[in-house]
């Protein structure tokens, strides 16, 4: 891994939070992700399942974590199973975790090789009444591929039909959404790397540069700062491409006078950042572009102030809609009749701002968090309003990542990333 080793105390705390909410006499199992094939002998780069990483720090394929806080013997209460390493694997694939190294990373003393898993699980099930299975219940999830986790669940249900079943996900949704200070530091590191990439491209962008060249400048800066790359597929959208919300082709030429919407974030230690900035190809905004830009920035700044403990996600978005409506009226994009006659299910402002303003962020870019429950201190949210005007050939979105505080306004993890028009123009023309 490129990142510096994370203090294992974080994972010890995370396991304690999870097991504290388990039912009596219950077992929970978490699997690594598969390495997915492409064709022939090619595979996609490995990405660890965020849940087993959150609970163990293990960033390796074919790993399993078993938690059983009520096990009769202490050495059965948390067990890690790893793919057995040897000299041959070390030569062909590189170093894999030894049992000793796994203890350093995770704080788990009881480490077995993977071939022992079925035997150990069978013994644990004789002591247990309930099994926690780890299903993906994120509100954005759309899983079509059978995962390693899903295969385990299918096999477990066939072998142990008399045991009760519980779900890990509701516990994880709650505990993962409230960050430990170490996690906030890791997200801050990812944001700082993103800042380095953004500052790099401000001096690089000029008329006729290609979107993919800008993407290359970002990845160069990310990797040289110990990130493995983008936290999500980057959006480098010039001109009217910015009006396609998930434009990822990044293959067009940036033309003089146009704007470029950059929705880009580095990862660090599997933690995400999520930034959007909109900059002028020629280094100067037009008066109209400035007016729209400042309207978006005003909505972002006012929306950020609403992210306090107790805020409800749904009501928050209603209030942001009111802010955006006011700005669109001021820009002449809406008139009073549009607002008076609007459909409450799809308000008038949605013509120009059709997506949500904030989402949880952390190990996943769209992180865990129950949207029906009030916001809490130490949750991390994006704030990302936008105005999209296809008829005028540009769209503007601005996005920062912020941490909700016990009192007062959120703490902006992207406070050092240029966002004001004057600073952006100054850096682009330095």
């Amino acid at each position: 891994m490129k990142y510096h080793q994370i203090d294992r105390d974080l994972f010890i705390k995370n396991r304690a939070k999870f097991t504290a909410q388990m039912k009596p006499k219950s077992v929970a199992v978490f699997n690594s992700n598969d390495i997915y094939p492409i064709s022939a002998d090619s595979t996609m780069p490995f990405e660890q399942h965020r849940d087993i990483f959150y609970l163990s720090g293990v960033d390796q394929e074919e790993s399993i974590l078993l938690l059983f806080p009520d096990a009769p013997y202490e050495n059965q209460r948390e067990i890690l199973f790893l793919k057995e390493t040897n000299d041959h694997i070390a030569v062909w694939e590189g170093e894999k975790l030894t049992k000793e190294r796994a203890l350093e990373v995770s704080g788990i003393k009881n480490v077995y090789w993977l071939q022992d898993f079925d035997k150990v699980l069978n013994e644990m099930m004789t002591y247990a009444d309930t099994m926690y299975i780890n299903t993906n219940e994120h509100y954005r999830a759309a899983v079509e591929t059978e995962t390693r986790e899903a295969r385990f669940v299918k096999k477990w249900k066939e072998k142990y039909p008399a045991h009760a079943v519980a779900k890990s996900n509701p516990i994880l949704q709650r505990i993962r959404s409230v960050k430990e200070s170490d996690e906030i530091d890791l997200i801050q590191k990812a944001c700082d790397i993103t800042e380095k990439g953004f500052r790099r491209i401000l001096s690089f962008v000029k008329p006729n540069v290609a979107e993919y060249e800008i993407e290359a400048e970002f990845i160069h800066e990310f990797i040289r700062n110990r990130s493995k790359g983008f936290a999500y597929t980057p959006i480098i959208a010039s001109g009217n491409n910015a009006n396609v919300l998930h434009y990822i082709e990044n293959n067009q030429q940036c033309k003089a006078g146009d704007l470029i919407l950059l929705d880009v974030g580095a990862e660090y230690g599997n933690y995400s950042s999520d930034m959007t900035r909109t900059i002028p190809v020629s280094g100067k905004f037009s008066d109209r572009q400035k007016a729209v830009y400042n309207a978006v920035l005003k909505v972002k700044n006012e929306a950020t102030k609403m992210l306090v403990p107790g805020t409800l996600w749904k009501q928050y978005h209603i209030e942001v809609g009111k802010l955006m409506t006011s700005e669109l009226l001021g820009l002449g994009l809406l008139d009073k009749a549009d607002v008076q006659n609007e459909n409450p299910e799809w308000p008038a402002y949605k013509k120009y701002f059709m997506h949500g303003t904030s989402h949880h962020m952390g190990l996943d870019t769209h992180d865990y968090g129950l949207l029906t429950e009030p916001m809490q201190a130490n949750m991390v949210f994006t704030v990302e309003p936008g105005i999209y005007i296809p008829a005028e050939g540009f769209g503007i979105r601005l996005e920062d990542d912020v941490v909700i505080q016990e009192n007062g306004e959120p703490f902006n993890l992207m406070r050092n990333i240029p966002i004001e028009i004057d600073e952006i123009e100054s850096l682009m023309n330095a």
Side-chain angles (χ1 to χ4, degrees), residues 235-252:
I235 297 168
I236 316 288
S238 62
N240 241 329
N241 295 333
N243 295 308
V244 180
L245 295 182
H246 292 118
Y247 171 83
I248 57 172
E249 285 77 6
N250 302 346
N251 62 4
Q252 299 298 304

Side-chain angles (χ1 to χ4, degrees), residues 310-344:
T311 296
L312 289 170
W313 189 82
K314 187 175 181 180
Q315 187 60 40
Y316 162 74
H317 279 92
I318 292 171
E319 295 304 313
V320 174
K322 293 176 184 176
L323 291 173
M324 183 58 78
T325 299
S326 176
E327 293 303 315
L328 293 172
L329 287 166
L331 291 167
L333 292 168
L334 295 179
D335 59 33
K336 290 182 179 179
D338 293 325
V339 178
Q340 288 168 352
N341 299 324
E342 69 182 9
N343 176 358

Side-chain angles (χ1 to χ4, degrees), residues 91-106:
V91 168
W92 284 91
E93 299 180 29
E95 180 185 356
K96 300 292 181 182
L97 288 174
T98 62
K99 293 181 179 182
E100 296 75 19
R101 182 81 181 107
L103 169 60
E104 291 176 19
V105 167
S106 68

Side-chain angles (χ1 to χ4, degrees), residues 6-63:
I6 299 167
D7 189 331
R8 67 185 184 183
D9 285 350
L10 171 62
F11 309 115
I12 293 169
K13 278 187 228 172
N14 291 345
R15 289 195 296 278
K17 285 189 286 188
F18 184 88
T19 55
Q21 296 191 42
M22 291 174 67
K23 296 178 179 182
K25 297 184 71 176
S26 62
V27 172
V29 171
F30 302 89
N31 287 272
S32 288
N33 278 333
D34 285 317
I35 296 178
Y36 289 97
I38 297 172
S39 65
D41 63 346
S42 299
T43 61
M44 298 180 71
F46 175 68
E47 282 286 341
Q48 182 58 296
H49 195 299
R50 299 307 192 238
D51 291 335
I52 191 173
F53 182 82
Y54 175 81
L55 294 166
S56 72
V58 171
D59 205 350
Q60 182 175 297
E61 73 281 5
E62 295 185 51
S63 305

Side-chain angles (χ1 to χ4, degrees), residues 188-199:
Q188 180 69 76
K189 177 69 173 175
C191 292
D192 292 345
I193 296 171
T194 300
E195 178 191 351
K196 290 175 187 280
F198 182 60
R199 289 184 181 275

